[in-house]
Amino acid sequence: PQPHCSRDLLLVCAMKMGSSAVALLFLLALSGPASSDGALANPIRKVVTMLQDMQTKVTEEGKKEQELYDKFMCYCKTSGSALSASISDASAKIESVGASIKSDSEEKALTEANLQKDQDSRAAAKDDVSKATALREKEAAEYAKFKADSEANVAAIAKAVAALEKGMAGAFLQTPAAGLVRSYAMEKAEVTDSTRQELLAFLSGTEGSDYAPQSGEITGILKQMGDEMNKDYSDATAEENSAIENFEALMAAKKKEIASLQTQIEEGMERIGNLGVELAAMNNDFEDTQEALAADKKFEKELEEGCATKTAEWEEIKKTRSEEMLALAETVKVLNDDDALDLFKKTLPSASSSFIQLQVSTAAQKAKALQMVRAAAQKSKRPQLDLIAMALNGKAVGFEKIIKMIDDMVAFLKKEQLDDDSKKEYCEAQFDESEDKKKELDHSISDSEAAISEMEGSIEQLKEEIAALDAGIRALDKS
């Protein structure tokens, strides 16, 4: 029982290491013809060599996978650092832009309040100009009337005095000038009632024609009235001139005030417009930064989860590979052990034994090997297995040629496996790169769509502000 146990153990160990062809080769090596002790040592050595080759292959695969894992973790580290920096910058930018928005909003509100105040002051100044102009026109009209009346009255009194001095009082009383003097004496002359009565009696002709002008009483009264009229006219002229100077000074001050207010209003409106544009841009930038920050945080979380998943997978791969390497090492140790070699020699028949003494005849071994090859050929559909099956089915071909054919097929399978591994690594790398590019493109498309939407909103807002500014400018032009 022990020899069969040892043989089955080696076969199972070899099959566990990953290749049905190795198990088949091992079976054929154990069941081949035995002619000498040296020949008996050759099959187990061949199996040991194949297991050692598998160890080398597993080690090389581990190195390649380690390189890929290191590259991926480097990507996780660098991308994570870049994302952390981006998130930190975005957070700082949001705080800074938010403070700027608050500051500009307050400045805009204050500028609007000052603008309204300047507009009210300009309206008040224009109202003052209108009132002062109306008053000046009224005063000028009153002065013009007073001037005309004064000049007529003074001229009439002068005529009256001249007529009296020449003794032509009767002729004077028949002139319109006498009527003017009479009206002035009745309405405006500042004399005593007795003097007014005496003057009116003369002007009415009730004094008699024998009035003696040499007495000079009426003449004195008239001269006094003329002097008072000249004085009143001079005072009124001086007052008018002073009013004109004050009015001109007031107009100059108000025009200067209105011009200054107009400049302040235009500057205020321009500043409000600029602040509106800046606020719109900062609001858009604020929203863009918030969206970018949210996207970066989301991507950072996905990256952390992906890297953590990859790390867990890598730990499982390392554990599996360690178990494979341990199984290979233990199998090689068992095969290289002296007790195992002695047991293997005892299992095979000696050189003096006949083929009949073997537990399994050569024909039975061929039949079993043929069955295994056919089963493998049905699964893999490889033409090499069909050739081996034909060789096993023939009678002239020995196990040496069959083993060589199996060796050739194993070498071909190794080459194919290497090619498949390289393609697999390349494809995995391409898949990872494509997935990263897709994420970046999706992120870029999302940012672009958000930016387009925000820019459209900003354009509409700017159009409204431009229309408001245009309306304000037109209102200023009209005023």
Side-chain angles (χ1 to χ4, degrees):
Q2 177 127 17
H4 291 289
C5 247
S6 299
R7 177 181 171 185
D8 292 341
L9 174 63
L10 294 175
L11 180 59
V12 169
C13 183
M15 292 179 67
K16 182 181 179 182
M17 293 304 100
S19 174
S20 60
V22 174
L24 176 61
L25 178 61
F26 185 66
L27 176 61
L28 294 175
L30 289 176
S31 57
S35 58
S36 64
D37 292 339
L40 290 174
N42 184 45
I44 194 170
R45 174 54 53 195
K46 187 178 293 186
V47 172
V48 170
T49 301
M50 293 180 64
L51 293 175
Q52 289 174 342
D53 290 342
M54 292 180 67
Q55 283 181 311
T56 303
K57 180 179 178 181
V58 171
T59 302
E60 291 176 353
E61 289 178 350
K63 290 180 179 179
K64 292 180 180 179
E65 290 181 354
Q66 182 69 48
E67 290 177 359
L68 292 174
Y69 174 74
D70 291 340
K71 289 180 180 179
F72 184 80
M73 294 310 295
C74 179
Y75 168 75
C76 289
K77 184 177 180 181
T78 54
S79 299
S81 301
L83 279 174
S84 298
S86 177
I87 290 172
S88 177
D89 293 342
S91 300
K93 184 177 180 181
I94 287 174
E95 183 177 356
S96 175
V97 173
S100 298
I101 290 174
K102 181 181 179 182
S103 175
D104 284 4
S105 298
E106 293 174 352
E107 183 181 355
K108 185 172 181 285
L110 179 61
T111 305
E112 289 174 346
N114 291 334
L115 175 63
Q116 185 62 46
K117 182 179 178 181
D118 292 339
Q119 289 175 337
D120 294 341
S121 298
R122 184 187 63 180
K126 288 183 177 181
D127 185 61
D128 291 341
V129 168
S130 298
K131 290 179 178 179
T133 301
L135 179 61
R136 178 84 283 275
E137 291 175 351
K138 179 181 178 182
E139 290 176 347
E142 291 176 351
Y143 172 75
K145 185 177 182 304
F146 176 78
K147 179 181 178 182
D149 293 342
S150 296
E151 289 176 349
N153 292 330
V154 168
I157 290 175
K159 290 180 180 180
V161 171
L164 288 174
E165 289 178 347
K166 292 179 180 180
M168 298 173 64
F172 170 74
L173 294 176
Q174 302 301 320
T175 62
L180 291 174
V181 175
R182 186 183 302 110
S183 297
Y184 180 77
M186 291 177 62
E187 298 173 3
K188 300 178 181 179
E190 294 181 0
V191 293
T192 62
D193 292 339
S194 59
T195 301
R196 181 179 286 105
Q197 291 297 328
E198 184 177 357
L199 181 60
L200 290 174
F202 165 72
L203 293 173
S204 300
T206 59
E207 289 287 339
S209 58
D210 57 350
Y211 171 74
Q214 288 79 7
S215 64
E217 185 175 354
I218 297 300
T219 302
I221 294 172
L222 291 174
K223 285 183 178 181
Q224 183 181 356
M225 288 176 58
D227 292 338
E228 290 178 356
M229 290 176 66
N230 285 325
K231 183 178 181 302
D232 291 342
Y233 177 70
S234 297
D235 292 341
T237 301
E239 185 178 351
E240 175 67 12
N241 292 333
S242 176
I244 291 173
E245 291 178 359
N246 292 336
F247 174 75
E248 291 176 350
L250 176 63
M251 289 299 101
K254 288 298 179 181
K255 286 180 180 179
K256 185 176 180 180
E257 180 183 358
I258 291 172
S260 177
L261 289 171
Q262 181 68 26
T263 302
Q264 293 178 12
I265 289 170
E266 291 175 357
E267 291 176 352
M269 293 182 69
E270 182 180 1
R271 182 56 182 159
I272 290 172
N274 292 334
L275 286 172
V277 174
E278 291 176 4
L279 283 171
M282 285 191 293
N283 283 322
N284 290 336
D285 191 17
F286 186 79
E287 293 175 1
D288 289 343
T289 306
Q290 283 185 322
E291 292 178 359
L293 177 62
D296 286 343
K297 287 183 177 180
K298 180 181 179 182
F299 185 66
E300 183 184 37
K301 182 179 179 182
E302 293 175 354
L303 182 64
E304 289 176 354
E305 293 176 353
C307 293
T309 302
K310 191 69 175 179
T311 301
E313 293 175 353
W314 175 245
E315 294 298 326
E316 184 65 25
I317 291 173
K318 287 198 299 183
K319 179 181 178 182
T320 303
R321 185 179 296 108
S322 298
E323 293 175 354
E324 291 177 353
M325 292 295 293
L326 180 61
L328 286 171
E330 289 178 352
T331 304
V332 171
K333 181 179 180 182
V334 170
L335 293 177
N336 285 331
D337 189 77
D338 293 337
D339 295 337
L341 182 61
D342 294 339
L343 184 61
F344 178 72
K345 289 181 179 180
K346 290 178 182 179
T347 303
L348 296 176
S350 62
S352 58
S353 300
S354 64
F355 287 107
I356 301 176
Q357 293 175 334
L358 294 174
Q359 291 181 346
V360 182
S361 65
T362 301
Q365 293 172 357
K366 280 188 176 184
K368 187 173 182 180
L370 179 61
Q371 182 181 2
M372 294 179 66
V373 169
R374 286 177 174 173
Q378 289 179 354
K379 292 181 179 180
S380 63
K381 304 297 183 181
R382 293 183 177 274
Q384 295 93 332
L385 293 174
D386 293 335
L387 292 174
I388 295 173
M390 290 177 63
L392 287 172
N393 199 28
K395 296 180 179 180
V397 180
F399 274 114
E400 293 79 3
K401 292 183 178 181
I402 295 174
I403 291 173
K404 184 177 183 306
M405 294 175 66
I406 293 176
D407 287 339
D408 293 340
M409 189 183 72
V410 170
F412 179 75
L413 289 175
K414 285 183 177 181
K415 184 177 181 302
E416 278 192 345
Q417 186 64 40
L418 290 174
D419 293 340
D420 292 342
D421 292 341
S422 299
K423 291 179 180 179
K424 179 182 178 183
E425 292 176 1
Y426 174 77
C427 290
E428 288 177 349
Q430 290 297 313
F431 282 144
D432 291 339
E433 183 178 355
S434 299
E435 185 176 357
D436 294 338
K437 288 182 178 179
K438 182 177 179 298
K439 288 182 179 180
E440 292 177 359
L441 289 174
D442 291 341
H443 183 63
S444 177
I445 290 171
S446 177
D447 290 345
S448 298
E449 290 177 348
I452 289 170
S453 177
E454 291 170 2
M455 288 303 294
E456 288 177 349
S458 300
I459 289 171
E460 293 299 326
Q461 184 177 355
L462 288 174
K463 286 182 178 178
E464 293 177 358
E465 292 179 355
I466 290 171
L469 289 174
D470 186 53
I473 291 171
R474 291 180 179 177
L476 288 173
D477 293 339
K478 292 179 179 179
S479 62

